[in-house]
Amino acid sequence: MNRAAGTRADRPFADRECEYFVRLIQRLSTLYTVEIVSYCVMSNHFHIVLFSPSELPTVEDTVTRYNSYYEGKKSIEEDAPEIEIVRARLRDMSCFLKDLQQLFTGWYNKSRSIRRRGSLWADRFKSVMLDGETALWSCIKYVELNAVRAGIVEDPADYRFCSWGVWAQSG
């Protein structure tokens, strides 16, 4: 979870910001091999449950993901000296979250009527390793029911900025 900087009453993310954040999650998941298990984007914070595979992506998969993601702006070849660094990075959830927050913050800062600069997030993201099915299921329920607990919707399937809404095809 990470919360935007400011007071607890600050609600900097309206629908437009939440939609963009979800699109960024989806876009970055085409580059990284971390799996998005569950997410919920709220008006001042987000929750995300990720799975990081233990195996590095193959060199071929790395090249395909990287070149597809950067669409001609950058590219990498199978024999590039930095290929092993890129392979390791693509399964690193810390790198995924760093990119997610930086890309969103850059867009957010530029999209304000009064341009802003600097960090948007109050702290570095917090992570917890989930050990076992019970811990995983409890965490997923916590994430998916966030909008229900906040009184935004009665059914998590009705909240379009969480993975449950996407799975239910109502969000």
Side-chain angles (χ1 to χ4, degrees):
M1 175 184 85
N2 208 346
R3 187 171 301 281
T7 69
R8 291 180 85 59
D10 286 342
R11 302 283 185 246
F13 310 145
D15 286 359
R16 177 178 176 233
E17 289 77 19
C18 292
E19 286 168 4
Y20 188 79
F21 197 88
V22 170
R23 283 197 310 272
L24 268 180
I25 291 171
Q26 293 165 344
R27 183 167 177 255
L28 283 169
S29 71
T30 66
L31 173 62
Y32 286 87
T33 61
V34 298
E35 293 177 38
I36 312 303
V37 177
S38 176
Y39 66 85
C40 185
V41 183
M42 301 293 285
S43 61
N44 67 348
H45 70 282
F46 69 93
H47 299 273
I48 190 164
V49 178
L50 303 171
F51 170 76
S52 179
S54 56
E55 307 83 31
L56 292 175
T58 65
V59 170
E60 296 79 15
D61 189 31
T62 300
V63 169
T64 300
R65 285 173 177 273
Y66 189 93
N67 292 343
S68 176
Y69 179 81
Y70 288 107
E71 299 176 22
K73 295 175 190 147
K74 294 197 297 190
S75 65
I76 194 168
E77 300 296 325
E78 291 183 11
D79 60 351
E82 68 275 14
I83 193 74
E84 292 307 315
I85 294 167
V86 174
R87 286 179 70 204
R89 188 173 189 273
L90 294 189
R91 62 171 275 273
D92 188 319
M93 67 179 66
S94 291
C95 291
F96 176 92
L97 288 166
K98 178 180 112 358
D99 282 353
L100 177 62
Q101 289 182 318
Q102 282 183 343
L103 288 169
F104 182 80
T105 299
W107 171 84
Y108 185 88
N109 287 351
K110 289 176 188 169
S111 67
R112 304 298 95 190
S113 57
I114 298 175
R115 298 279 287 260
R116 68 180 300 281
R117 297 178 43 201
S119 180
L120 176 63
W121 308 101
D123 300 305
R124 187 176 187 275
F125 69 88
K126 296 166 185 67
S127 64
V128 176
M129 185 178 291
L130 302 173
D131 189 22
E133 290 177 23
T134 303
L136 176 61
W137 181 238
S138 295
C139 190
I140 291 171
K141 286 191 300 187
Y142 177 84
V143 168
E144 298 294 348
L145 294 173
N146 207 263
V148 174
R149 283 191 308 278
I152 299 169
V153 293
E154 290 184 22
D155 183 338
D158 294 333
Y159 190 64
R160 65 186 180 136
F161 308 119
C162 73
S163 47
W164 194 321
V166 171
W167 295 333
Q169 295 184 350
S170 62

